Amino acid sequence: YEQVERDRVLIENALAVNSEELESLYERLRERTDAERAVLRSLTTSVPDLLFVKSLDGVYRTCNPAFERMLGLREDQVLGRTVHDVLPADIAAEITRVEQEVLSSRSPDLREQWILLPTGERRCLEMLRAPYFGSDGTTLGLVGIGRDVTDRRQLEEQTRLAALVYQNTGEGMLVTDAEYRIIDINPACERITGYTLAEVRGQTPEMFNSGRQDRAFYEALRQTVARMGHWHGEVWDRRKNGETYVKSMVVNQLTGPDGAVQGHVMLFSD
């Protein structure tokens, strides 16, 4: 009986020790988990890109402030809901289709999408969507990271349209650097002057001078552009074939954000 009692006491002491050790281990793990969650939350809060996590059935599980600002909704108005609850039906249907493809293929997808926000504003988003997995390889849901590229897309479209105008306008256009050295001319300029870009690049517009206006005229022109930022008037020029002609011309100075002169644009017609 005494041996049995000693064994019982030993077992109880061992269990007590193990219980304390387990409690200590649990507490350390909990503190570590809380710390890691705090770091993750800080990162997702501070990044300027949009971030969200969805479950397999498309329910938002988490999102960051940038995503909330984009939608114009609070976190509690997003979490627990689907894209059909926060965006128009047609856009939500397209997003759902894309995300189902991502989950089915188990592969990431990067694309640009125009969306209509609850505010009525259209924005272009560059979105990377990817599935995320459990330790056993099971697909758990989808994570999305994106950024608003509306301004970039609009600038690209403006640049494209400007290039179309530059190439197709009936008026001659000539671009120079700050020192009036020719950088580019459009097809209309080639047609009017008879010179190709290869023949005029690096030259100054005075190469077209017919001789009917002296050097003082061109010096006054440049001084006006430097002082006022622009000039308009008539200039007598000579084509490549020797023919003289008068052209109506506008000169505009190009400046950078710091106000420094970067070049000039000349628009003319004969």
Side-chain angles (χ1 to χ4, degrees):
Y1 174 79
E2 292 179 355
Q3 182 61 43
V4 172
E5 182 64 17
R6 285 195 298 270
D7 290 344
R8 184 185 66 80
V9 172
L10 287 173
I11 291 172
E12 288 180 350
N13 290 337
L15 288 175
V17 171
N18 288 337
S19 177
E20 291 176 0
E21 290 178 347
L22 288 173
E23 182 65 26
S24 176
L25 177 60
Y26 171 77
E27 183 63 23
R28 291 198 300 271
L29 288 175
R30 187 185 65 78
E31 290 176 354
R32 178 178 175 182
T33 301
D34 289 345
E36 290 175 347
R37 286 177 178 170
V39 171
L40 180 60
R41 183 65 179 174
S42 176
L43 289 173
T44 57
T45 299
S46 60
V47 294
D49 290 342
L50 315 174
L51 176 65
F52 64 83
V53 177
K54 289 184 175 183
S55 61
L56 279 176
D57 53 358
V59 174
Y60 288 104
R61 293 305 185 194
T62 188
C63 65
N64 70 341
F67 188 75
E68 297 168 35
R69 288 192 296 270
M70 187 269 296
L71 290 178
L73 300 172
R74 301 187 309 273
E75 184 181 49
D76 62 346
Q77 295 174 307
V78 178
L79 302 190
R81 301 185 179 186
T82 72
V83 67
H84 294 275
D85 299 314
V86 298
L87 289 177
D90 55 340
I91 297 174
E94 173 61 16
I95 290 175
T96 299
R97 183 191 66 79
V98 171
E99 293 180 347
Q100 286 299 320
E101 289 180 358
V102 170
L103 293 173
S104 299
S105 65
R106 295 168 62 90
S107 300
D109 176 86
L110 177 65
R111 68 178 63 196
E112 288 185 0
Q113 284 185 295
W114 283 93
I115 67 171
L116 182 65
L117 300 178
T119 60
E121 185 180 12
R122 290 183 72 249
R123 306 298 292 178
C124 184
L125 303 181
E126 183 180 68
M127 292 297 306
L128 172 65
R129 297 178 175 90
Y132 67 94
F133 310 98
S135 58
D136 60 354
T138 303
T139 303
L140 299 180
L142 178 142
V143 60
I145 303 173
R147 62 184 52 182
D148 189 333
V149 295
T150 307
D151 292 344
R152 187 186 75 190
R153 293 290 291 134
Q154 290 176 341
L155 179 59
E156 290 172 352
E157 180 63 14
Q158 291 170 2
T159 302
R160 185 186 69 82
L161 292 175
L164 285 175
V165 171
Y166 184 74
Q167 292 296 322
N168 294 285
T169 183
E171 297 179 299
M173 295 184 70
L174 185 151
V175 182
T176 78
D177 62 14
E179 303 300 323
Y180 284 92
R181 291 184 293 265
I182 297 173
I183 298 173
D184 196 15
I185 60 174
N186 72 342
C189 182
E190 292 186 341
R191 176 180 54 79
I192 293 170
T193 65
Y195 290 96
T196 65
L197 174 60
E199 293 173 307
V200 302
R201 183 183 284 122
Q203 304 292 325
T204 66
E206 280 79 0
M207 68 174 290
F208 306 119
N209 188 355
S210 67
R212 297 185 61 165
Q213 289 158 314
D214 59 18
R215 188 172 188 83
F217 170 83
Y218 292 99
E219 287 296 331
L221 187 158
R222 291 192 180 191
Q223 289 173 10
T224 300
V225 172
R227 184 176 68 257
M228 304 293 295
H230 59 86
W231 179 92
H232 65 88
E234 291 186 345
V235 177
W236 280 92
D237 273 357
R238 187 183 304 277
R239 307 186 208 273
K240 184 178 179 181
N241 63 10
E243 177 187 356
T244 59
Y245 68 103
V246 64
K247 66 183 183 184
S248 176
M249 185 170 71
V250 175
V251 183
N252 285 300
Q253 190 178 76
L254 302 176
T255 57
D258 60 353
V261 177
Q262 297 186 342
H264 307 87
V265 175
M266 301 179 183
L267 180 67
F268 63 90
S269 59
D270 63 352

